[in-house]
Amino acid sequence: MGFAASNTYTLGMYKGAQAAAAALGDVKLTFLDGNFSGPTQIVQLQDATTSKKFAGVIVGANDGVSIIPSVEQAIAAGIKIVQVETPIGKNSADVDSQIPGLTSAIGMQVIGAIPSIVAKVDQACANKNPCNVALMPGNRSLPFDALSVSTAVTAAKKYPNMKLVVTPDAGFDRQDGYTVMQDVLQSDPNVNVVFTVSAEAMLIGAQQAVQQAGKDGQVTMVGFGATTQGVQLIKSGQWYASYVFPPYAQGYLAVETMVKALEGKKVTLNQPLNCKLPVGCFVTKQSLAKDPSFTGQYSA
């Protein structure tokens, strides 16, 4: 059960899940498109519970609070639930298991990482005072994205040189990121740094708008995901850094964990994936020098 079929991060996780299923054998996967909608996923999980079609469901929740009753009903019905990426529970800041009976919680401690991302933005400012910074949200109607954005705004207050503007939501989407960035450049042509704590695909679109405006080299970015495109932009010097996300590894581990649980084997309840890859927490020119083989685990 993914965030959305249109979301490249979700597809990166699904590729990892498919690879694990193929390696393990006798595993049938069905992709359920959440379409970035909490209500859609509630209906999907309720249908899965009543139909008894699935022995287990891997859930990347769009709204981890409203889906709680459906998750509890599924667990009560004997369905194994593995949480991926976003928390399921009332505490949107904690990716660890919050629901009794959850099989495993696999993902990134995103909220805790945001201060370090804002610190990278400050480094990208390169002592500019003021440093004009644009923060691009995905969809603040989703609780987790709203919390991520507000956490970043709070963290930015630590840096008095940082003049922060939050842009309109760009829908986790490349094309919307391009459109929003065009508006940003019109309203604030002196923007220095753009970053996101929502989805890197938006910044790939934003980069296109920067290039078309003739501001390549004048505006740098701090990404969120380390996509294949983002890694190349860091190598070329157009971007400063990107926080690393491993969707392929996450999807692979989710299927491995689910199969072990269904076989009656012991599994680890909480499996955070922050900073587990050799490249480290951030892709930068320096970290790529240490791990030149890293190219990103998904495309924007």
Side-chain angles (χ1 to χ4, degrees), residues 10 12 31 82 103 105 116 137 139 248 287 296:
T10 301
F31 181 81
V82 171
T103 297
S116 68
N139 181 350
Y248 184 93
S287 70

Side-chain angles (χ1 to χ4, degrees), residues 7-63:
N7 178 245
T8 56
Y9 188 86
T10 301
L11 297 179
M13 280 198 289
Y14 190 54
K15 285 181 181 178
Q18 288 175 309
L24 292 167
D26 197 27
V27 177
K28 184 179 179 181
L29 291 178
T30 299
F31 181 81
L32 301 177
D33 180 6
N35 199 29
F36 285 128
S37 167
T40 295
Q41 289 188 317
I42 289 171
V43 172
Q44 289 172 336
L45 189 52
Q46 288 174 342
D47 288 347
T49 301
T50 56
S51 70
K52 304 186 187 310
K53 184 179 179 181
F54 305 106
V57 180
I58 298 169
V59 180
N62 286 316
D63 185 341

Side-chain angles (χ1 to χ4, degrees), residues 2-299:
F3 303 129
S6 61
N7 178 245
T8 56
Y9 188 86
T10 301
L11 297 179
M13 280 198 289
Y14 190 54
K15 285 181 181 178
Q18 288 175 309
L24 292 167
D26 197 27
V27 177
K28 184 179 179 181
L29 291 178
T30 299
F31 181 81
L32 301 177
D33 180 6
N35 199 29
F36 285 128
S37 167
T40 295
Q41 289 188 317
I42 289 171
V43 172
Q44 289 172 336
L45 189 52
Q46 288 174 342
D47 288 347
T49 301
T50 56
S51 70
K52 304 186 187 310
K53 184 179 179 181
F54 305 106
V57 180
I58 298 169
V59 180
N62 286 316
D63 185 341
V65 177
S66 66
I67 205 171
I68 292 171
S70 300
V71 169
E72 292 173 335
Q73 290 166 8
I75 292 170
I79 296 172
K80 302 290 187 186
I81 301 290
V82 171
Q83 165 195 305
V84 291
E85 192 55 32
T86 51
I88 298 172
K90 294 181 179 180
N91 184 357
S92 297
D94 188 4
V95 77
D96 286 347
S97 173
Q98 300 177 46
I99 306 298
L102 195 74
T103 297
S104 187
I106 302 169
M108 303 285 288
Q109 291 283 8
V110 173
I111 303 303
I114 287 174
S116 68
I117 295 169
V118 176
K120 271 288 185 287
V121 173
D122 181 61
Q123 292 174 18
C125 282
N127 297 318
K128 292 183 179 70
N129 192 5
C131 182
N132 299 310
V133 176
L135 168 59
M136 191 173 289
N139 181 350
R140 282 167 289 179
S141 71
L142 300 176
F144 191 76
D145 196 54
L147 178 60
S148 297
V149 172
S150 65
T151 301
V153 170
T154 299
K157 294 177 181 178
K158 178 181 176 181
Y159 306 96
N161 64 311
M162 200 179 292
K163 183 182 176 183
L164 181 66
V165 173
V166 180
T167 76
D169 292 354
F172 310 104
D173 180 75
R174 190 171 181 167
Q175 182 59 45
D176 288 348
Y178 169 77
T179 302
V180 168
M181 192 65 205
Q182 283 185 314
D183 293 340
V184 168
L185 291 170
Q186 288 180 0
S187 61
D188 185 5
N190 296 317
V191 63
N192 302 118
V193 183
V194 183
F195 79 109
T196 185
V197 289
S198 302
E200 187 158 289
M202 301 182 298
L203 294 196
I204 302 300
Q207 179 66 33
Q208 183 183 357
V210 167
Q211 290 172 328
Q212 288 186 358
K215 290 186 173 292
D216 211 6
Q218 300 175 45
V219 181
T220 191
M221 301 196 187
V222 174
F224 186 73
T227 62
T228 54
Q229 296 94 331
V231 172
Q232 288 301 315
L233 287 163
I234 292 164
K235 285 182 177 179
S236 70
Q238 293 165 281
W239 283 18
Y240 185 77
S242 183
Y243 193 79
V244 177
F245 277 71
Y248 184 93
Q250 188 171 179
Y252 198 104
L253 180 59
V255 169
E256 272 192 330
T257 300
M258 179 65 80
V259 171
K260 283 182 182 179
L262 290 171
E263 290 175 345
K265 298 176 182 176
K266 185 177 180 180
V267 300
T268 302
L269 179 59
N270 296 313
Q271 304 186 70
L273 296 178
N274 296 63
C275 309
K276 297 293 187 182
L277 300 181
V279 75
C281 299
F282 287 91
V283 171
T284 62
K285 279 194 169 185
Q286 292 75 22
S287 70
L288 287 172
K290 296 177 182 178
D291 183 17
S293 65
F294 183 78
T295 59
Q297 288 200 355
Y298 70 112
S299 171

